[in-house]
Amino acid sequence: MLWRVGGTIRGRIFLASLMLSAITAILGGYAAIGIATTGQLADKTYDRSLMSINYARAASADFAAIQAAVARARLATDPGERRAQEARVNALVQSFEEDLAIAEERAQSTRAAAESAAAKEALSHWLAARREFGTGPQTADVWQALDAHASVVEQHIDLLINFTAGDGFSYRQAARALVARDVRLSMAATVFAILLSGIIAFLLSRQIVRPVAEASAVATRIAAGDLAVPVPEGGADEFGALLRAMDGMRSNIRAMMQEEVSQRRSAQGLLADAVQGSNEGIVVADAGGRIVMANARFADLLGLEPEKVAGGNIADARGSVLADTLIAMRTNGTSAVERHAAEGRWLRISRSPTRDGGFVAVCSDISRLKKQEDQLKRSNLQLDAALSNMLQGLCLFDAEGGLLVHNRRFCDMFGIEYGTLHPGMRLRAISSVVAAGSAFDDARALELLLEQEDLLRAGASGALCRTIRGDMVVSVRQQPTAEGGWIATYEDVTQRFEAEARIITMARRDALTGLANRMVFSERLEDAAARLENGSGFAILCLDLDRFKEVNDTFGHPVGDALLRGVAERLQSCLRETDLLARLGGDEFAIVQSGPCPREDAVALATRLIEIFEQPFYLEDQVVAVGVSVGISLAPEHGSDPDTLLKCADLALYRAKGGGRGGWSFFDEEMDLELRKRRALENDLRLAIAHGELEVYFQPIVNLAHHRVSCCEALLRWKHSERGYVSPAEFIPLAEETGAIGAIGEWVLRRACREAASWPDGIGVAVNVSAAQFRNAAVVRAVMEALTESGLPAYRLELEITESVLLTDNVATLATLHTLKRLGVRVAMDDFGTGYSSLSYLQSFPFDKIKIDQSFVRNLDITASSRLIVRSVVGLGRSLGMTVTAEGIETEAQMEHLRLEGCDEAQGYLFSRPVPAAGIHALFDRLRRRAA
């Protein structure tokens, strides 16, 4: 086993390490044994001899203390003191015996042990003599006898100490001799180990250094490229394996070099084939212009046969475009040119110099590429023309945010010169150009671009609409492209905004008189009420024309309209700039008057208003005389709530008209009786909700084409415990003003859906929704809860709204309506045609149904204008894909006329009055039998 291990370098090093480790272990073991022996001797010297001497001396001290205690006891006259000394003697005797026992145990010779026993025996004799002599005072001979026994004790203790000290000295001498012997042996062993280690290291170096030197010399010559160097044969160890590996590496290198030469020759052949098969003309020429190599394509472009080109000179082919170009091109550096040949072809020629002074040239036929470039140029010109003539500004950016395309319209919008922007510019750089080079001093254009940059950082598309350059309104649409970039279009929407502003102005003005309408009046009233805290009062004047109905009946509505315009001019001439005049409807006007003395100012104004109507109006060759009655309420004297003040002014107006017309009246406490009645009605309404006095009636809506019930409108009824039935026209506005309409509306919605769930599948239910229910968008939640609770499909529920709903908050209301549409609920516009903006609402929201107000249906058989209006509404509904329902049908003639006009549905007393829920199924049966 050791022979096999010693056959390798690793094995030899391992055996040498084992031998050195064994020598070290032997030396260390011997030293450890010697140290342990020396330690044992030291332990014996201290633990045995010295400790025995110490305890012997302690026993001697105990005996001396015993003698002193005995003497005190004999001399003591107090019995207590004597007893204490006797107890102390007993304790000291016990301590003496224990100390002698330990000294005897620690002693290392029999003679010391014998002396310890003799000392104990002598003490017992001393104690016996003491007992024999008694405890009282003694004579001198007694003391001499006791002292004799005491000296025997002390003698034996001294001998014990001397014998023990002698034993310790003997052990000390033995330890010193042992240490001296171990030192000599350790030095000898160390010298032997050093010599043996040196011999082992010398033998080991002879086995390693020579083979390493031989292997290093061979590796150096192979690295220098001498592949013929002889590689010595090695043994069976690692260096032999290394030399054999070097021999194999030399053979591999020789084989690889031969393989590389073969591959180079093959690559040259492949290169020649590639050159010959290339579509490009390739030529290599030396410094004198002689053709070293050329392919067939070059010969074809040069106009010569391939066999005539090889070995020829470029100058021999002068006259051809290719040869003339190569000769004319510069000889230093790489260059490329394009030339148009006589046969119509386009050639691209590139020339690169070689290290020997010649050149390499590549010639390509780019005729097709030139044709494509021409087509691309034409396309770009067409694109530039389209961009330049666009009405919108445009900017196209790549995925890195660099500008690709922009048009002149964009530069014109932002007031910069066309050409100041270049491809690659980012939006921030464009903003800087706009800020520095805009012809208009307007920071809003820069703000618009910065907002676009914010959209880009957010990674979102979007649309912006901002005013720039003072009067221009620009709409920006920004969205990503399929290539990862983004495109922005800029549209001038100034005219559209101006048109919308005019529409808004018209919405806030009375169409006939041009005065402020009820909306503006309400806003001014709210502002005046808000300023009451500053101590500034105001007055409200409600005006009503006297005998206006007579004018309409006598002269017709055109004259009545002209009269209203003339009245508006006269009223406006009496007002100050701080006063507001509004037309509330019909011949009703109202004034908000502010001033330091509201009562005196209101009286003066009312007087002037009445006086100016003393003169008649001259209208269309007609002399028209009307008067005016004025009702006045003061804030804060009559209240601070705008609605309350307006109602007070209405009550005062009724008092003025009742007093003979052509006069004015302030609100007083007697008029408050009406308000108290109103409050009582409010309380009764709350109790009605709590006590369940409200009922839901249903009136059918009939499909005129199929003569069957398609829907039923839910109508709220209130049966008062004392008054009987209260008109909805009386308590519904009250519920809206008090806020109770929300709870009432939800109750009606749930009740109607629950009842409709039991009806036949083809019959839906229509529920009126007030503007108050849209103010907090609670109608969506109420609809969802009602449908879930009843299980009624959403398409069978129809919500009817009026224009007042859209007037409150157009944007929020439209969002709520779209949410309802997404739920599947149908939405209908009720009382269509009675407002001033019904058509605009049809454009802003896709209603499912429009209901023609009964005021148009009532005169259907009398006036042609009503028939034309109905025909127009039906045609409008059909064009917009909306169902058209007519309300208030009372005669067969009205129904027949509506059917001929194409009206879809009809509702009215002709079919049925509203019936309670208990009778609705009987009504369905009756109408079905009637239709059959």
Side-chain angles (χ1 to χ4, degrees):
M1 177 67 181
L2 291 177
W3 174 259
R4 287 197 300 271
V5 172
T8 63
I9 298 299
R10 290 191 299 269
R12 295 167 191 167
I13 295 174
F14 175 70
L15 290 177
S17 299
L18 284 179
M19 294 176 67
L20 293 177
S21 298
I23 294 171
T24 304
I26 292 171
L27 290 176
Y30 179 77
I33 293 172
I35 292 171
T37 304
T38 305
Q40 291 175 358
L41 292 175
D43 290 342
K44 289 181 178 180
T45 302
Y46 177 76
D47 292 342
R48 301 287 183 180
S49 301
L50 293 181
M51 293 300 291
S52 178
I53 292 170
N54 289 338
Y55 279 99
R57 288 176 177 172
S60 178
D62 291 338
F63 181 68
I66 292 171
Q67 290 177 315
V70 169
R72 288 182 181 178
R74 290 181 182 278
L75 296 176
T77 58
D78 183 17
E81 176 66 21
R82 190 178 293 118
R83 285 192 299 272
Q85 292 298 328
E86 287 297 331
R88 187 169 184 273
V89 168
N90 295 331
L92 290 171
V93 170
Q94 184 178 358
S95 176
F96 175 84
E97 291 176 354
E98 292 175 354
D99 290 341
L100 277 182
I102 296 173
E104 181 182 351
E105 180 185 357
R106 297 285 184 175
Q108 303 180 37
S109 62
T110 56
R111 57 180 183 174
E115 291 301 328
S116 173
K120 291 180 182 178
E121 184 179 0
L123 176 62
S124 64
H125 292 321
W126 186 86
L127 291 174
R130 174 180 173 275
R131 286 191 297 271
E132 182 180 354
F133 294 146
T135 59
Q138 301 294 333
T139 59
D141 55 348
V142 173
W143 287 107
Q144 290 177 358
L146 291 173
D147 290 340
H149 286 292
S151 38
V152 173
V153 174
E154 292 173 352
Q155 180 179 3
H156 286 298
I157 292 174
D158 291 340
L159 289 174
L160 172 62
I161 292 173
N162 291 333
F163 290 156
T164 303
D167 293 339
F169 181 77
S170 299
Y171 285 124
R172 174 178 173 274
Q173 292 299 111
R176 293 182 63 183
L178 182 61
V179 169
R181 186 198 64 185
D182 290 341
V183 168
R184 290 192 297 272
L185 289 176
S186 296
M187 291 181 63
T190 301
V191 173
F192 174 73
I194 293 172
L195 292 175
L196 184 60
S197 298
I199 293 171
I200 292 173
F202 174 73
L203 294 176
L204 187 63
S205 64
R206 290 195 60 187
Q207 294 294 325
I208 296 175
V209 173
R210 182 180 58 80
V212 168
E214 292 177 353
S216 176
V218 172
T220 301
R221 294 183 63 180
I222 292 175
D226 186 4
L227 299 180
V229 57
V231 179
E233 295 184 0
D237 55 12
E238 288 87 347
F239 288 108
L242 177 61
L243 291 172
R244 287 190 293 274
M246 287 183 180
D247 186 36
M249 179 179 66
R250 182 188 59 178
S251 301
N252 291 337
I253 293 174
R254 185 184 293 114
M256 289 172 62
M257 291 182 64
Q258 293 175 355
E259 179 68 19
E260 183 178 359
V261 171
S262 175
Q263 289 179 355
R264 286 186 178 181
R265 290 174 180 172
S266 175
Q268 289 176 354
L270 292 174
L271 177 60
D273 293 341
V275 169
Q276 290 298 330
S278 175
N279 290 328
E280 313 291 336
I282 302 174
V283 62
V284 179
D286 58 14
R290 189 176 62 85
I291 298 174
V292 177
M293 183 186 68
N295 61 357
R297 179 60 175 163
F298 179 80
D300 179 63
L301 293 175
L302 199 62
L304 298 175
E305 296 294 330
E307 56 273 9
K308 296 181 179 180
V309 173
N313 197 291
I314 295 294
D316 297 339
R318 287 182 179 273
S320 68
V321 173
L322 178 57
D324 294 343
T325 302
L326 288 175
I327 294 172
M329 292 177 72
R330 57 189 178 91
T331 59
N332 56 336
T334 301
S335 59
V337 295
E338 294 180 359
R339 291 291 184 266
H340 192 198
E343 60 274 17
R345 292 189 301 182
W346 275 94
L347 302 178
R348 176 180 291 159
I349 306 168
S350 61
R351 169 173 169 163
S352 301
T354 59
R355 287 179 294 181
D356 58 357
F359 65 88
V360 176
V362 178
C363 181
S364 306
D365 187 349
I366 59 172
S367 302
R368 180 178 299 178
L369 180 61
K370 280 292 184 179
K371 184 177 181 181
Q372 292 175 352
E373 286 182 356
D374 292 339
Q375 294 176 350
L376 181 61
K377 286 180 180 179
R378 287 194 297 270
S379 298
N380 288 337
L381 290 175
Q382 294 172 357
L383 177 61
D384 290 341
L387 291 175
S388 300
N389 291 280
M390 282 181 61
L391 296 179
Q392 294 178 327
L394 180 139
C395 285
L396 177 63
F397 294 82
D398 58 20
E400 286 73 29
L403 180 65
L404 292 176
V405 177
H406 71 287
N407 63 354
R408 185 182 297 275
R409 180 59 177 157
F410 171 79
C411 297
D412 295 340
M413 283 184 174
F414 287 86
I416 58 177
E417 292 292 334
Y418 185 70
T420 55
L421 304 183
H422 55 80
M425 293 182 69
R426 296 183 177 271
L427 188 59
R428 174 69 66 168
I430 296 175
S431 303
S432 301
V433 172
V434 171
S438 177
F440 304 95
D441 186 13
D442 190 352
R444 287 175 292 182
L446 180 61
E447 293 176 359
L448 175 58
L449 296 177
L450 296 179
E451 286 187 63
Q452 287 185 250
E453 193 172 17
D454 293 338
L455 282 177
L456 287 178
R457 281 195 294 268
S461 303
L464 301 171
C465 191
R466 299 292 183 269
T467 301
I468 64 174
R469 291 174 46 183
D471 58 348
M472 179 184 290
V473 182
V474 176
S475 174
V476 182
R477 288 190 174 273
Q478 187 167 298
Q479 57 187 5
T481 62
E483 293 77 16
W486 57 279
I487 186 171
T489 57
Y490 304 80
E491 182 181 3
D492 184 357
V493 294
T494 306
Q495 293 182 354
R496 185 193 307 169
F497 267 69
E498 290 176 352
E500 292 179 357
R502 286 194 297 270
I503 292 173
I504 293 173
T505 301
M506 293 173 62
R508 297 173 61 84
R509 291 289 173 183
D510 178 60
L512 179 62
T513 62
L515 298 178
N517 59 10
R518 184 180 292 272
M519 181 191 303
V520 179
F521 179 78
S522 298
E523 293 175 357
R524 176 65 68 87
L525 201 56
E526 293 284 350
D527 293 341
R531 290 194 296 271
L532 285 176
E533 297 179 358
N534 301 328
S536 58
F538 63 93
I540 299 177
L541 290 80
C542 286
L543 292 75
D544 187 78
L545 298 181
D546 302 332
R547 300 181 300 278
F548 177 73
K549 187 175 183 302
E550 299 175 6
V551 174
N552 269 339
D553 295 341
T554 304
F555 301 105
H557 288 284
V559 175
D561 292 343
L563 174 60
L564 290 175
R565 287 192 290 268
V567 169
E569 293 177 2
R570 287 195 184 184
L571 293 176
Q572 191 69 48
S573 65
C574 296
L575 302 181
R576 300 168 300 186
E577 292 183 357
T578 57
D579 301 333
L580 174 70
L581 172 64
R583 183 189 177 203
L584 302 184
D587 60 339
E588 297 179 7
F589 297 85
I591 298 173
V592 179
Q593 183 188 37
S594 302
C597 303
R599 179 174 288 272
E600 290 78 2
D601 293 343
V603 171
L605 177 58
T607 304
R608 288 198 306 272
L609 294 175
I610 294 172
E611 290 176 352
I612 63 171
F613 281 88
E614 294 177 355
Q615 298 294 327
F617 291 86
Y618 298 95
L619 306 170
E620 299 182 4
D621 300 329
Q622 302 292 336
V623 179
V624 179
V626 293
V628 64
S629 298
V630 183
I632 308 171
S633 64
L634 302 175
E637 180 178 341
H638 297 146
S640 59
D641 181 66
D643 293 337
T644 301
L645 291 169
L646 186 58
K647 291 179 179 65
C648 291
D650 281 336
L651 292 175
L653 176 60
Y654 295 150
R655 173 68 60 85
K657 293 178 75 68
R661 300 184 180 181
W664 55 267
S665 175
F666 277 104
F667 173 79
D668 57 25
E669 294 300 329
E670 293 180 0
M671 301 174 190
D672 191 47
L673 178 61
E674 295 295 331
L675 293 179
R676 288 197 296 270
K677 292 180 179 179
R678 182 183 182 85
R679 294 191 186 98
L681 188 61
E682 291 178 7
N683 294 329
D684 291 344
L685 181 59
R686 294 189 185 94
L687 293 175
I689 299 172
H691 297 164
E693 297 178 359
L694 299 178
E695 301 178 58
V696 178
Y697 277 51
F698 297 94
Q699 186 177 29
I701 301 175
V702 178
N703 185 291
L704 295 178
H706 302 91
H707 298 285
R708 61 178 179 81
V709 178
S710 61
C711 186
C712 288
E713 182 178 359
L715 301 171
L716 186 61
R717 294 293 183 264
W718 178 17
K719 187 176 182 180
H720 196 277
S721 58
E722 297 178 358
R723 300 188 192 184
Y725 281 101
V726 182
S727 172
E730 185 176 356
F731 72 84
I732 290 296
L734 184 62
E736 291 180 345
E737 294 175 7
T738 59
I741 191 64
I744 295 175
E746 292 183 9
W747 178 82
V748 172
L749 190 60
R750 290 196 301 271
R751 183 65 180 272
C753 290
R754 187 166 61 249
E755 292 294 338
S758 64
W759 299 348
D761 292 339
I763 302 177
V765 63
V767 181
N768 289 279
V769 183
S770 69
Q773 292 176 265
F774 276 83
R775 290 194 182 104
N776 54 7
V779 66
V780 177
R781 175 185 54 79
V783 168
M784 294 176 66
E785 291 178 354
L787 292 175
T788 303
E789 177 184 333
S790 63
L792 182 72
Y795 68 86
R796 290 179 60 189
L797 175 60
E798 184 176 293
L799 300 180
E800 295 186 3
I801 66 171
T802 60
E803 285 183 284
S804 59
V805 173
L806 295 166
L807 284 174
T808 54
D809 187 351
N810 196 12
V811 176
T813 301
L814 287 176
T816 303
L817 289 174
H818 280 288
T819 302
L820 293 171
K821 286 278 286 185
R822 285 194 293 271
L823 292 176
V825 176
R826 293 168 57 84
V827 181
M829 176 179 278
D830 198 8
D831 300 335
F832 181 77
T834 58
Y836 56 83
S837 57
S838 298
L839 293 178
S840 65
Y841 294 139
L842 291 183
Q843 184 180 12
S844 61
F845 181 78
F847 287 91
D848 297 289
K849 179 187 290 187
I850 53 178
K851 300 187 72 174
I852 305 175
D853 188 71
Q854 59 183 348
S855 60
F856 300 110
V857 178
R858 187 181 302 117
N859 298 323
L860 196 61
D861 301 334
I862 303 173
T863 61
S865 59
S866 296
R867 290 194 294 271
L868 290 175
I869 291 174
V870 169
R871 183 178 301 165
S872 300
V873 173
V874 171
L876 177 64
R878 186 181 296 110
S879 300
L880 296 176
M882 299 177 184
T883 302
V884 181
T885 302
E887 298 178 310
I889 309 301
E890 298 182 357
T891 65
E892 292 285 349
Q894 292 173 345
M895 182 188 70
E896 184 63 22
H897 188 87
L898 289 169
R899 189 181 62 80
L900 293 175
E901 292 292 345
C903 187
D904 300 300
E905 296 176 342
Q907 177 184 1
Y909 288 173
L910 176 63
F911 307 104
S912 174
R913 290 179 177 273
V915 298
I920 191 66
H921 289 281
L923 176 62
F924 290 159
D925 294 338
R926 179 170 60 84
L927 292 177
R928 185 168 56 251
R929 290 193 300 270
R930 177 181 174 183

